[in-house]
Amino acid sequence: MRHSQCDLLLTCCTVILRFEDGRIKAQYPMDAAGAEKVKHFFTAKPDAQEEKN
């Protein structure tokens, strides 16, 4: 399921706004670097996500 969510974001979004605990955790454009962040978010283990962001 996570792979299809990633594909949807990569094809539809121009900006990513990620919330965590009711606050904005990250905001970035869906450019090449943003696409890599999204791919990492959907493929990395939860602990690795915190290290990257």
Side-chain angles (χ1 to χ4, degrees):
M1 175 111 169
R2 291 178 67 96
H3 181 71
S4 62
Q5 292 169 337
C6 181
D7 288 343
L8 178 65
L9 290 175
L10 292 172
T11 58
C12 296
C13 294
T14 58
V15 175
I16 296 295
L17 186 59
R18 192 176 104 209
F19 289 89
E20 190 171 301
D21 297 325
R23 296 182 183 262
I24 296 173
K25 177 74 175 185
Q27 179 180 2
Y28 45 88
M30 185 59 88
D31 55 10
E36 287 304 313
K37 288 180 183 181
V38 169
K39 289 175 188 175
H40 176 78
F41 180 82
F42 282 96
T43 58
K45 295 180 180 177
D47 292 341
Q49 292 173 6
E50 290 303 317
E51 293 172 10
K52 181 78 172 180
N53 297 325

